[in-house]
């Protein structure tokens, strides 16, 4: 019986990549998307790719960052899925290589329990191009899920993970059920289940 479900955020609970949307708003979209694409396919080290992408946001007004975050689009079925999981008594946590400014806001809308992500450094009302936080490395999700399981007293067989990109593989190793959601081929190889329909409610069927 599943007691803990950990979700990726970008292109999983949220429809799109937050950093790409920031970059579009700031006029550096093409440069950032190229790095994002390589990172998601596992061609680039996650820490290196995250650092390079955030550096391109240097000078972006924090007011614009907040405006973008308030308009992020939920993935189809996200709210219904989280509600369905919580009705089953499952803890719902988000691990994101993206940013707290997005995951914290979306938590209020969707209703998951907590999120672990990164923080964009800002000074004098603009981004500095620097980033830090809990999800900086390709192995971060795997390390964090082991800690969560220990704190909550939850086993691998009582854990489900859902994600779409290469850096989700590290947490898939520690889950009895791992769902590749509209995912890159590199992640599908690590998953116990694949959902290729862009509707998160499909995941509830796995638990029925």
């Amino acid at each position: 019986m599943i007691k803990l479900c950990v979700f990726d955020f970008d292109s999983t609970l949220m429809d799109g990549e937050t950093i790409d949307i920031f970059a579009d708003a700031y006029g550096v979209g093409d440069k950032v998307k190229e790095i994002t694409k390589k990172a998601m396919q596992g061609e680039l080290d996650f820490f290196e790719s995250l650092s390079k992408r955030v550096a391109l946001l240097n000078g972006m007004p924090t007011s614009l960052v907040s405006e973008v975050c308030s308009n992020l689009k939920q993935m189809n079925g996200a709210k219904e899925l989280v509600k369905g999981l919580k009705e089953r008594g499952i803890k719902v946590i988000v691990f994101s290589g993206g940013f707290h400014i997005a995951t914290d806001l979306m938590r209020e809308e969707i209703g998951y329990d907590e999120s672990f992500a990164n923080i964009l450094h800002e000074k004098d009302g603009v981004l500095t191009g620097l980033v830090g936080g809990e999800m900086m490395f390709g192995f971060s999700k795997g390390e964090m899920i082991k800690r969560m399981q220990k704190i909550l007293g939850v086993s691998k067989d009582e854990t489900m993970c859902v994600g779409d990109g290469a850096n989700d593989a590290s947490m898939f190793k520690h889950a009895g059920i791992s769902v590749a959601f509209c995912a890159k081929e590199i992640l599908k190889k690590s998953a116990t289940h694949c959902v290729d329909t862009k509707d998160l409610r499909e995941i509830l069927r796995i638990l029925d």
Side-chain angles (χ1 to χ4, degrees), residues 45 54 58 60 89 97 114 116 125 145 152 166-167 186 195 201-202:
D45 172 79
V54 173
N58 182 21
M60 183 175 180
E114 192 50 270
F116 295 85
I145 201 166
L152 297 172
N167 71 320
I186 192 169
V195 172
R201 286 167 291 201
E202 293 290 317

Side-chain angles (χ1 to χ4, degrees), residues 56-91:
L56 290 165
L57 301 178
N58 182 21
M60 183 175 180
T62 52
S63 57
L64 180 56
V65 174
S66 297
E67 183 186 332
V68 170
C69 285
S70 66
N71 290 296
L72 292 175
K73 185 183 174 189
Q74 296 175 20
M75 185 63 74
N76 187 29
K79 193 176 285 186
E80 294 90 336
L81 171 59
V82 171
K83 183 172 181 283
L85 293 172
K86 294 189 81 172
E87 283 172 352
R88 288 166 165 83
I90 298 170
K91 284 279 181 203

Side-chain angles (χ1 to χ4, degrees), residues 19 37 39 50 72 80 102 105 113 143 174 188 196 198:
I19 196 163
K37 184 180 175 184
L50 178 64
L72 292 175
E80 294 90 336
L105 196 62
D113 293 298
E143 289 299 306
H174 305 287
K188 288 183 178 182
D196 293 319
K198 210 173 178 182

Side-chain angles (χ1 to χ4, degrees), residues 12-62:
T12 304
L13 286 181
M14 197 275 287
D15 194 356
E17 294 290 320
T18 308
I19 196 163
D20 291 353
I21 299 168
F22 287 162
D24 282 339
Y26 190 49
V28 292
D30 289 344
K31 290 179 182 177
V32 168
K33 280 177 191 165
E34 187 58 36
I35 300 170
T36 299
K37 184 180 175 184
K38 288 180 179 177
M40 294 299 286
Q41 292 172 343
E43 294 172 21
L44 270 181
D45 172 79
F46 184 79
F47 174 77
E48 186 183 15
S49 70
L50 178 64
S51 301
K52 283 182 176 179
R53 287 177 289 170
V54 173
L56 290 165
L57 301 178
N58 182 21
M60 183 175 180
T62 52

